[in-house]
Coordinates of all heavy atoms in Angstrom, one line a residue:
S94 N 92.0 104.9 149.0 CA 90.8 105.3 148.3 C 91.2 106.3 147.1 O 92.2 106.1 146.5 CB 89.7 106.0 149.2 OG 88.5 106.2 148.5
G95 N 90.4 107.3 146.8 CA 90.7 108.3 145.8 C 90.1 107.9 144.4 O 90.1 106.7 144.0
V96 N 89.5 108.9 143.8 CA 89.0 108.7 142.4 C 89.6 109.8 141.5 O 90.1 110.8 141.9 CB 87.4 108.8 142.4 CG1 86.8 107.6 143.1 CG2 87.0 110.1 143.1
A97 N 89.4 109.5 140.2 CA 90.0 110.4 139.2 C 89.2 110.3 137.9 O 88.6 109.2 137.6 CB 91.5 110.2 139.0
I98 N 89.3 111.3 137.1 CA 88.8 111.3 135.7 C 89.9 111.8 134.8 O 90.4 112.9 135.1 CB 87.5 112.1 135.5 CG1 86.3 111.4 136.3 CG2 87.2 112.3 134.0 CD1 85.0 112.2 136.2
L99 N 90.3 111.0 133.8 CA 91.2 111.4 132.8 C 90.4 111.6 131.5 O 89.5 110.8 131.2 CB 92.3 110.3 132.5 CG 93.5 110.4 133.5 CD1 93.1 110.2 134.9 CD2 94.5 109.3 133.0
S100 N 90.6 112.8 130.9 CA 89.7 113.1 129.8 C 90.5 113.7 128.6 O 91.4 114.6 128.8 CB 88.7 114.1 130.2 OG 87.8 114.5 129.2
K101 N 90.3 113.3 127.4 CA 90.9 113.9 126.2 C 90.4 115.3 126.0 O 91.1 116.2 125.6 CB 90.6 113.0 125.0 CG 91.4 111.8 124.9 CD 91.2 111.3 123.4 CE 91.2 109.8 123.4 NZ 90.9 109.3 122.0
R102 N 89.1 115.5 126.3 CA 88.5 116.8 126.1 C 88.3 117.5 127.4 O 87.9 116.8 128.4 CB 87.1 116.5 125.4 CG 86.4 117.8 124.9 CD 85.2 117.4 124.1 NE 84.0 117.5 124.8 CZ 82.9 116.7 124.5 NH1 82.9 115.8 123.5 NH2 81.8 116.9 125.2
E103 N 88.6 118.7 127.4 CA 88.4 119.5 128.7 C 86.9 119.6 129.0 O 86.1 120.0 128.2 CB 89.0 120.8 128.6 CG 89.0 121.6 129.9 CD 89.8 122.9 129.9 OE1 90.4 123.2 128.8 OE2 89.7 123.6 130.8
P104 N 86.5 119.1 130.2 CA 85.1 119.2 130.6 C 84.6 120.6 130.7 O 85.5 121.5 131.0 CB 85.0 118.4 131.9 CG 86.3 117.7 132.1 CD 87.3 118.4 131.3
D105 N 83.3 120.9 130.6 CA 82.8 122.2 130.9 C 82.9 122.6 132.4 O 83.1 123.7 132.7 CB 81.3 122.3 130.5 CG 81.1 121.9 129.0 OD1 82.0 122.2 128.2 OD2 80.1 121.3 128.7
H106 N 82.8 121.5 133.2 CA 82.9 121.7 134.7 C 83.2 120.4 135.3 O 82.9 119.3 134.8 CB 81.5 122.2 135.1 CG 81.4 122.3 136.6 ND1 82.0 123.3 137.3 CD2 80.7 121.5 137.5 CE1 81.7 123.2 138.6 NE2 80.9 122.1 138.8
V107 N 84.0 120.5 136.4 CA 84.3 119.3 137.2 C 83.8 119.6 138.7 O 84.1 120.6 139.2 CB 85.8 119.0 137.2 CG1 86.1 117.8 138.1 CG2 86.3 118.7 135.8
A108 N 83.1 118.7 139.2 CA 82.6 118.8 140.6 C 83.3 117.7 141.5 O 83.3 116.5 141.1 CB 81.1 118.6 140.7
Y109 N 83.8 118.1 142.6 CA 84.5 117.2 143.5 C 83.7 116.9 144.7 O 83.4 117.8 145.5 CB 85.8 117.9 143.9 CG 86.8 118.2 142.7 CD1 86.6 119.4 142.0 CD2 87.7 117.3 142.3 CE1 87.4 119.7 140.9 CE2 88.6 117.6 141.2 CZ 88.4 118.8 140.5 OH 89.2 119.0 139.5
G110 N 83.4 115.7 144.9 CA 82.6 115.3 146.1 C 81.1 115.5 146.0 O 80.6 116.0 145.0
M111 N 80.4 115.1 147.1 CA 79.0 115.2 147.1 C 78.5 116.2 148.2 O 77.3 116.3 148.4 CB 78.3 113.9 147.4 CG 78.6 112.8 146.3 SD 77.6 111.3 146.5 CE 78.1 110.7 148.1
G112 N 79.4 117.0 148.8 CA 79.0 117.9 149.8 C 78.7 117.2 151.1 O 77.9 117.8 151.9
M113 N 79.2 116.0 151.3 CA 79.0 115.3 152.6 C 80.3 114.9 153.1 O 81.0 114.0 152.6 CB 78.2 114.0 152.3 CG 76.8 114.3 151.6 SD 76.0 112.7 151.2 CE 74.8 113.3 150.0
E114 N 80.7 115.6 154.2 CA 82.1 115.5 154.7 C 82.6 114.1 155.0 O 83.7 113.8 154.6 CB 82.2 116.4 156.0 CG 83.6 116.5 156.5 CD 83.7 117.4 157.7 OE1 82.6 117.9 158.2 OE2 84.8 117.7 158.2
A115 N 81.8 113.3 155.6 CA 82.2 112.0 156.0 C 82.7 111.1 154.8 O 83.6 110.3 154.9 CB 81.1 111.2 156.8
Y116 N 82.0 111.3 153.7 CA 82.3 110.6 152.5 C 83.3 111.3 151.6 O 84.2 110.7 151.1 CB 81.0 110.3 151.6 CG 80.0 109.7 152.5 CD1 78.8 110.3 152.8 CD2 80.2 108.4 153.0 CE1 77.8 109.7 153.6 CE2 79.2 107.8 153.8 CZ 78.0 108.5 154.1 OH 77.1 107.9 154.9
D117 N 83.2 112.6 151.6 CA 84.2 113.4 150.8 C 85.6 113.3 151.3 O 86.5 113.4 150.5 CB 83.7 114.9 150.7 CG 82.4 115.0 149.9 OD1 82.0 114.0 149.2 OD2 81.8 116.1 149.9
N118 N 85.7 113.2 152.6 CA 87.1 113.0 153.2 C 87.8 111.7 152.7 O 89.0 111.7 152.7 CB 87.0 112.9 154.7 CG 86.6 114.2 155.4 OD1 86.7 115.3 154.7 ND2 86.3 114.2 156.7
E119 N 87.0 110.8 152.2 CA 87.6 109.6 151.6 C 87.7 109.6 150.1 O 88.1 108.6 149.5 CB 86.7 108.4 152.1 CG 86.7 108.2 153.6 CD 86.0 106.9 154.0 OE1 85.6 106.1 153.2 OE2 86.0 106.6 155.2
G120 N 87.4 110.7 149.5 CA 87.7 110.8 148.0 C 87.0 109.8 147.2 O 87.6 109.0 146.5
R121 N 85.6 109.8 147.2 CA 84.9 108.8 146.6 C 84.0 109.2 145.4 O 83.4 108.3 144.7 CB 83.9 108.1 147.6 CG 84.7 107.4 148.7 CD 83.9 106.6 149.6 NE 84.7 105.8 150.6 CZ 85.2 104.6 150.3 NH1 85.0 104.1 149.1 NH2 86.0 104.0 151.2
F122 N 84.0 110.5 145.0 CA 83.0 110.9 144.0 C 83.6 112.1 143.3 O 83.9 113.1 143.9 CB 81.7 111.3 144.7 CG 80.6 111.6 143.7 CD1 79.6 110.7 143.4 CD2 80.4 112.9 143.1 CE1 78.5 111.0 142.6 CE2 79.4 113.2 142.3 CZ 78.4 112.2 142.0
I123 N 83.6 112.0 141.9 CA 84.1 113.1 141.1 C 83.2 113.1 139.8 O 82.9 112.0 139.3 CB 85.6 113.1 140.8 CG1 86.0 114.4 140.0 CG2 86.0 111.8 140.0 CD1 87.5 114.5 139.9
R124 N 82.8 114.3 139.4 CA 81.9 114.4 138.2 C 82.5 115.4 137.2 O 82.9 116.5 137.5 CB 80.5 114.9 138.7 CG 79.5 114.9 137.6 CD 78.2 115.6 138.1 NE 78.2 117.0 137.7 CZ 77.9 118.0 138.6 NH1 77.7 117.8 139.9 NH2 77.9 119.3 138.2
A125 N 82.4 115.0 135.9 CA 82.8 115.8 134.8 C 81.6 116.0 133.9 O 80.9 115.1 133.5 CB 84.0 115.2 134.0
D126 N 81.4 117.3 133.5 CA 80.2 117.7 132.7 C 80.7 118.0 131.3 O 81.6 118.8 131.1 CB 79.5 118.9 133.3 CG 78.9 118.6 134.6 OD1 78.7 117.4 135.0 OD2 78.6 119.6 135.3
Y127 N 80.0 117.4 130.3 CA 80.2 117.7 128.9 C 78.9 118.0 128.3 O 78.1 117.1 128.0 CB 80.8 116.5 128.2 CG 82.1 115.9 128.8 CD1 82.0 115.0 129.9 CD2 83.3 116.3 128.3 CE1 83.2 114.5 130.4 CE2 84.5 115.8 128.9 CZ 84.4 114.9 130.0 OH 85.5 114.4 130.5
G128 N 78.6 119.3 128.1 CA 77.2 119.7 127.6 C 76.2 119.2 128.6 O 76.4 119.5 129.8
D129 N 75.2 118.5 128.1 CA 74.1 118.0 129.1 C 74.4 116.6 129.6 O 73.6 116.0 130.3 CB 72.8 118.1 128.4 CG 72.6 117.1 127.2 OD1 73.6 116.5 126.8 OD2 71.5 117.0 126.7

Side-chain angles (χ1 to χ4, degrees):
S94 189
V96 289
I98 291 177
L99 276 59
S100 179
K101 283 194 212 171
R102 189 168 101 207
E103 186 172 353
D105 303 326
H106 175 71
V107 178
Y109 299 86
M111 300 191 298
M113 303 175 196
E114 186 177 3
Y116 306 114
D117 292 347
N118 288 347
E119 296 192 359
R121 295 190 174 276
F122 187 100
I123 187 171
R124 183 188 95 230
D126 297 338
Y127 305 85
D129 63 354

